[in-house]
Amino acid sequence: MQLRARSLQRFSRLGAPTCSRRYAGLVTQRKRPRASDKDSLGQGSFVRQQPSRCLFSSPGHRRSEVRASKLVSVTLASALLALWLYPTDALQHTDSRANLGPEIPEDGADGHGPEADQAAWAKFTQNVSALSFVPSTDGLSEKVVDLIMPEWIKSVPGYIRKLQRETNMESGSLAAEIWREAHDPFTHPEIEYSAKVRVSNELCDEEKTFLERRRMMIVPALARFLSIDEKDIHPDDVPTIALCGSGGGLRALTAGTGSFLATTEDGLFDCATYISGVSGSCWLQSLYYSSVTGASFETAIDHLKARLGTHIAYPPVAFNALMSSPTNKYLLSGLVEKLKGDPGAQLGLVDIYGMLLAARLLVPKGELGVDEKDFKLSNQREFVRYGQNPLPIYTAVRHEIPELDSPDYGGPGSISEEAKDRAKREAWFQWFEVTPYEFFCEEFSAGIPTWAMGRKFKNGSDVPSTTGYRLPETRMPLLLGVWGSAFCATLSHYYREIRPVIKSLHQSVDELIWGHNKDLSKVHPIEPANVPNFVHGMYGQLPGTVPQAVYDNEYIQLMDAGMSNNLPIYPLLRPGRDVDIIMAFDASADIKTENWLSVAEGYARQRKIKGWPVGTGWPKPAETPSQAAAELEKAEVHSAVEADGKITQAKTDQAARHAEPSPGHTPEKLGEQPIKPESQRQTEAAAELGYCTVWVGTTQERSSEPPPPPVDDVSTWRLMDPDAGITVVYLPFLANEKAVPGVDVAVSDYMSTWNFVYTPQQIDEVVTLAKANYAEGRDRIRATVRAVYERRKKRRLERERREEEDGFRRSMRRGVVGSLGEGDHFS
């Protein structure tokens, strides 16, 4: 059917025009045709975008016009694709309760029963079969048509007809082939295995085995990095180092590639045990642990140069990838398996977005080298099986929004007044992590094998179909969409982007809107992705802090973890991982305004994690202790029961960032330069962080004393302290004029989070800047790793000495040693 005008109007009301440039849409570097506002898309009225003829317009004005035209064109291209495939459900409002589809019918769970005919796949194929896209050109000459319509629009009807043929499930169609292989255990071995929910706070057995193997692999790498003889390094002395990359779209992907390449060249990457990511950094991990790059960051840079020159939503390229062999099968497999195998499944914008991302990132240049193994996350086990690489951790969040009288809480009167007050205060985010081994939520204390993602669960066990097979593992395209779905942000996130403009125009209007910010933080204009809920029905089997809605719903909604914290630190603090050094590469666009490390501090307090360095993050010199305590309330990842008490405790502990030098450790001079008092150095450091800042925590209970300042060249002794805790090394993505002049996150338009086109030159600039920034802190990083290594070695030697003494005393008590032997000459 033709797309009606009201479909476009509906998208316009929900979409980008009311938001800022950052959240408005996907910004491209190419000029695209845009739809006329006066005519419906069904009538096919298009106008070709013409370059500006004004000779006297300012550069800023011209850039604004270009950005606006890019915004309109790409937003409409994305909307067209989503509405073509699923016009009625592409955009929906979300709330605290996930939309529940029908229960899996007993006789039609495999998609062949009568109930399934009215379910997800039937609805999808009906919409596809009814599609038609033939722009009307009645009354126009061929020359005029060529002027007002882009060349690629003529090929769209052909793509639509091919899509209809491939999805009709008839013999020989692509969908029929995909669904047949979904029941083939040789293609998908996991479908023969049942899965159960693992309820435990401990790491899974596979990760424990990995840690043992990785530690042995790190020994020679650490010897090279610290210039130590390998035979002198005991495995127990190896520090657990975690590298984490921030969110930020293609900027985070490209900058992270440059940063990790620098760590590889320096030898640090081979010493790391974990690598965690948010948003664009998750895309980077997906690339590194794939056949596309073969675990090589240099190859990853070449791949980005070859693939990022075209926007993911440019219709000719997107349609070609989705409709042409061999890429079409790999990109559409997850869609067919999801909708055909689960009658209650929903297709949304995140699914389409993920397929477009996969078509750009997981497909090498030439497209013939695409590998099916790259489309399942569990296959990444091959890259860590022997401990040869750090273990990747991917992150996503669920937004828990308590409603007082909703069915989630059993209706009015079913909860206490304390719970009501807690629900009124704020919602929070629940973090989920995915490794090649397990899909886990720490707040639930539960997880499932990664290969079981995508299948339904009930009361702790998976639910197979009547054929006896389970669904194949969730494919990477959907996961790529989930990890980078920042457009599923709340209205509060959206408004923060345009608030400066509103305030400059009308202060009272801003006060009116911002006064309802708590309400705005509970509305998602674009629905997050729905995935099967693996703890569905597990009443009474999980911690008491798990909300009732989690048990009731068959699905949970996951989105970009950057909505909660743009640094993936929380998973690294899980018990059992025992991370000593966290290397945080922060390519956020709001480094100086959003203190993500400070939010992590709130999480550490709530989880009672000892050793986190208090006072980390981008400091604000004018900040009072009360303001610092108020900032701690922004920590949105807390349990439903402990939130109030832990936040109160966090407030009382937060103090000014000043400390006196430790006696006996502060020399009077360092070379010829006089040493400033530590409190003065801390005050100066608070004004501006550099390219590399180091903090170290303590395992001692802290009273009201202020936290120590960052570690500098004259206070590295704190890293060697026996009570030293977690060390955080913070490397923000800052401008570096002496290395890459004119390149700055805050100034360079192409480094916007919502830009999806990078030229090879721009990629070189971002990578060079990231490597130059790492070089600025290389010596401090090496000194930090050495200090932590020496501290662990000292602890081991002290522990062995005590064990030896204890063993000697036990032997003395048993008479094994210390008594005269029978028959010697002293008898």
Side-chain angles (χ1 to χ4, degrees):
M1 61 181 177
Q2 290 187 346
L3 296 176
R4 297 180 296 275
R6 63 171 178 269
S7 298
L8 178 60
Q9 292 170 355
R10 179 184 61 171
F11 180 81
S12 300
R13 287 196 300 269
L14 293 174
T18 59
C19 306
S20 69
R21 175 165 61 88
R22 177 181 174 189
Y23 285 103
L26 307 175
V27 181
T28 178
Q29 288 277 315
R30 294 183 174 218
K31 296 180 180 179
R32 302 280 183 252
R34 56 185 175 85
S36 172
D37 295 332
K38 296 181 181 180
D39 299 314
S40 70
L41 290 177
Q43 296 171 337
S45 178
F46 287 80
V47 293
R48 185 182 297 275
Q49 180 178 327
Q50 298 293 339
S52 174
R53 303 289 184 180
C54 179
L55 299 178
F56 300 100
S57 59
S58 65
H61 179 69
R62 287 196 298 271
R63 284 196 300 269
S64 299
E65 287 182 340
V66 171
R67 286 197 297 267
S69 63
K70 292 174 182 176
L71 174 63
V72 172
S73 62
V74 177
T75 300
L76 288 178
S78 304
L80 280 173
L81 194 54
L83 293 175
W84 282 338
L85 294 177
Y86 225 46
T88 58
D89 295 333
L91 300 171
Q92 295 181 6
H93 174 75
T94 188
D95 53 23
S96 64
R97 188 174 179 85
N99 293 325
L100 293 180
E103 291 285 346
I104 297 181
E106 293 183 2
D107 298 329
D110 60 351
H112 297 295
E115 295 88 345
D117 291 340
Q118 304 301 323
W121 179 253
K123 190 174 184 180
F124 171 76
T125 54
Q126 288 170 6
N127 288 331
V128 172
S129 299
L131 286 176
S132 66
F133 191 88
V134 182
S136 174
T137 57
D138 296 342
L140 298 178
S141 68
E142 184 176 348
K143 184 175 295 186
V144 173
V145 171
D146 291 338
L147 287 175
I148 65 175
M149 296 180 65
E151 185 67 26
W152 59 261
I153 205 69
K154 300 176 183 178
S155 61
V156 171
Y159 285 123
I160 295 298
R161 289 191 294 270
K162 187 171 183 179
L163 177 63
Q164 292 168 339
R165 290 194 303 269
E166 297 291 8
T167 58
N168 60 18
M169 274 294 172
E170 294 181 359
S171 179
S173 68
L174 178 62
E177 179 184 352
I178 291 173
W179 186 238
R180 183 176 63 255
E181 290 187 356
H183 296 80
D184 182 6
F186 291 99
T187 305
H188 306 287
E190 69 271 18
I191 65 177
E192 288 193 304
Y193 298 93
S194 61
K196 293 186 178 297
V197 177
R198 187 182 70 90
V199 181
S200 174
N201 286 319
E202 293 186 359
L203 303 178
C204 64
D205 292 339
E206 292 87 351
E207 183 171 342
K208 292 178 181 178
T209 302
F210 162 81
L211 291 176
E212 295 176 0
R213 294 175 176 176
R214 182 60 180 168
R215 187 176 295 110
M216 299 305 297
M217 295 290 289
I218 290 177
V219 169
L222 186 66
R224 292 191 299 270
F225 185 69
L226 299 180
S227 301
I228 300 175
D229 195 331
E230 181 179 339
K231 67 177 182 294
D232 294 336
I233 297 181
H234 192 282
D236 291 347
D237 301 339
V238 174
T240 302
I241 302 174
L243 310 179
C244 65
S246 72
L250 292 190
R251 179 188 65 252
L253 167 61
T254 310
T257 305
S259 298
F260 291 155
L261 175 59
T263 64
T264 302
E265 294 173 345
D266 193 33
L268 177 64
F269 189 84
D270 292 333
C271 300
T273 302
Y274 292 101
I275 173 173
S276 63
V278 165
S279 187
S281 294
C282 287
W283 301 343
L284 169 58
Q285 294 174 188
S286 302
L287 274 180
Y288 181 79
Y289 296 93
S290 73
S291 65
V292 176
T293 65
S296 167
F297 291 112
E298 290 182 342
T299 305
I301 293 174
D302 294 335
H303 174 71
L304 296 179
K305 290 180 180 179
R307 300 297 290 172
L308 296 188
T310 302
H311 197 285
I312 62 170
Y314 183 48
V317 177
F319 272 122
N320 186 67
L322 293 173
M323 303 301 152
S324 301
S325 179
T327 55
N328 56 350
K329 181 179 179 180
Y330 302 134
L331 295 173
L332 294 175
S333 290
L335 177 67
V336 174
E337 294 161 0
K338 174 182 177 180
L339 299 181
K340 182 68 175 174
D342 183 0
Q346 295 182 1
L347 176 67
L349 196 59
V350 176
D351 296 85
I352 309 304
Y353 177 57
M355 285 194 295
L356 296 176
L357 283 171
R360 287 283 90 201
L361 299 179
L362 294 184
V363 177
K365 184 179 180 180
E367 300 182 344
L368 295 179
V370 62
D371 192 336
E372 184 177 10
K373 289 185 177 181
D374 297 334
F375 288 79
K376 287 184 180 179
L377 195 151
S378 64
N379 287 333
Q380 294 182 5
R381 289 173 295 179
E382 297 297 326
F383 291 92
V384 297
R385 182 182 301 275
Y386 306 107
Q388 66 270 42
N389 281 295
L391 183 69
I393 302 175
Y394 303 85
T395 59
V397 294
R398 173 184 177 268
H399 200 182
E400 170 64 27
I401 309 175
E403 297 294 345
L404 298 183
D405 296 330
S406 73
D408 299 349
Y409 288 96
S414 63
I415 57 176
S416 64
E417 291 300 322
E418 179 185 357
K420 289 182 179 181
D421 292 339
R422 186 170 58 250
K424 286 181 179 179
R425 267 197 307 274
E426 64 177 305
W428 71 92
F429 289 97
Q430 296 161 337
W431 277 64
F432 290 74
E433 63 172 64
V434 193
T435 71
Y437 302 125
E438 192 172 43
F439 176 37
F440 187 86
C441 178
E442 184 181 5
E443 191 166 331
F444 299 168
S445 296
I448 58 174
T450 300
W451 47 261
M453 290 180 63
R455 61 180 68 176
K456 283 196 171 184
F457 282 79
K458 184 67 177 291
N459 197 26
S461 299
D462 60 8
V463 181
S465 67
T466 55
T467 62
Y469 290 112
R470 283 83 176 169
L471 283 177
E473 177 185 340
T474 294
R475 301 304 184 102
M476 287 294 290
L478 174 60
L479 298 179
L480 290 175
V482 170
W483 296 328
S485 57
F487 52 80
C488 294
T490 62
L491 286 178
S492 174
H493 284 87
Y494 279 76
Y495 183 69
R496 286 196 191 109
E497 298 302 312
I498 62 171
R499 191 183 181 195
V501 178
I502 301 298
K503 289 179 70 174
S504 64
L505 296 177
H506 210 293
Q507 182 74 22
S508 60
V509 172
D510 170 69
E511 293 175 356
L512 176 64
I513 298 175
W514 195 248
H516 295 83
N517 184 56
K518 284 193 174 181
D519 296 324
L520 298 179
S521 66
K522 299 178 182 180
V523 179
H524 294 267
I526 300 178
E527 186 178 17
N530 274 5
V531 299
N533 178 15
F534 61 85
V535 298
H536 174 50
M538 295 184 66
Y539 301 98
Q541 302 178 52
L542 303 180
T545 57
V546 177
Q548 181 74 18
V550 172
Y551 297 114
D552 296 339
N553 289 345
E554 288 184 283
Y555 302 91
I556 52 177
Q557 295 181 318
L558 298 182
M559 68 190 82
D560 192 327
M563 300 298 98
S564 173
N565 194 323
N566 217 35
L567 288 174
I569 293 176
Y570 304 153
L572 302 176
L573 302 181
R574 256 187 75 183
R577 287 185 171 148
D578 302 326
V579 174
D580 296 301
I581 304 174
I582 296 177
M583 308 279 300
F585 293 90
D586 192 357
S588 304
D590 48 8
I591 290 175
K592 297 185 180 181
T593 58
E594 293 290 345
N595 193 343
W596 300 116
L597 287 176
S598 177
V599 178
E601 177 179 315
Y603 173 90
R605 292 172 183 269
Q606 294 152 19
R607 294 285 194 253
K608 298 181 179 180
I609 297 172
K610 290 186 178 181
W612 178 262
V614 177
T616 57
W618 204 281
K620 301 175 182 178
E623 185 180 70
T624 64
S626 61
Q627 289 172 329
E631 281 192 358
L632 214 50
E633 289 185 328
K634 296 180 181 179
E636 295 170 297
V637 184
H638 53 76
S639 64
V641 172
E642 299 180 351
D644 189 39
K646 298 297 172 59
I647 290 296
T648 301
Q649 179 183 354
K651 289 179 180 179
T652 59
D653 291 342
Q654 185 76 359
R657 298 181 176 92
H658 294 280
E660 294 302 323
S662 178
H665 286 90
T666 305
E668 296 183 357
K669 290 188 177 182
L670 180 64
E672 298 298 326
Q673 299 296 328
I675 299 302
K676 302 175 182 177
E678 193 160 5
S679 59
Q680 180 181 349
R681 288 187 280 112
Q682 160 62 7
T683 302
E684 294 176 354
E688 188 77 15
L689 292 185
Y691 296 104
C692 178
T693 307
V694 180
W695 293 273
V696 60
T698 179
T699 57
Q700 290 182 328
E701 293 293 334
R702 187 176 295 280
S703 57
S704 59
E705 296 179 3
V711 176
D712 58 16
D713 294 337
V714 297
S715 59
T716 53
W717 56 268
R718 293 212 309 271
L719 295 168
M720 300 281 293
D721 192 280
D723 297 316
I726 300 172
T727 300
V728 175
V729 182
Y730 183 62
L731 299 103
F733 189 58
L734 303 175
N736 193 329
E737 287 297 322
K738 66 180 182 181
V740 191
V743 178
D744 189 352
V745 176
V747 176
S748 304
D749 287 342
Y750 70 85
M751 275 198 275
S752 164
T753 303
W754 296 100
N755 173 37
F756 278 80
V757 174
Y758 273 64
T759 66
Q761 179 182 352
Q762 292 168 345
I763 292 174
D764 282 335
E765 291 176 349
V766 175
V767 169
T768 301
L769 179 59
K771 294 176 66 176
N773 285 0
Y774 178 83
E776 295 283 349
R778 181 185 291 112
D779 293 339
R780 179 165 293 180
I781 292 171
R782 197 178 301 272
T784 298
V785 174
R786 176 177 286 277
V788 175
Y789 161 76
E790 294 291 348
R791 186 185 74 211
R792 288 183 62 96
K793 180 178 180 180
K794 183 178 180 181
R795 285 179 179 175
R796 177 183 59 82
L797 294 176
E798 179 64 22
R799 183 177 64 252
E800 291 176 350
R801 184 185 64 80
R802 290 196 304 268
E803 291 175 352
E804 184 177 352
E805 291 178 352
D806 291 342
F808 183 79
R809 293 191 187 98
R810 287 193 298 269
S811 299
M812 288 277 291
R813 287 193 295 269
R814 293 197 306 266
V816 176
V817 295
S819 61
L820 297 177
E822 182 179 354
D824 63 31
H825 62 281
F826 292 108
S827 299

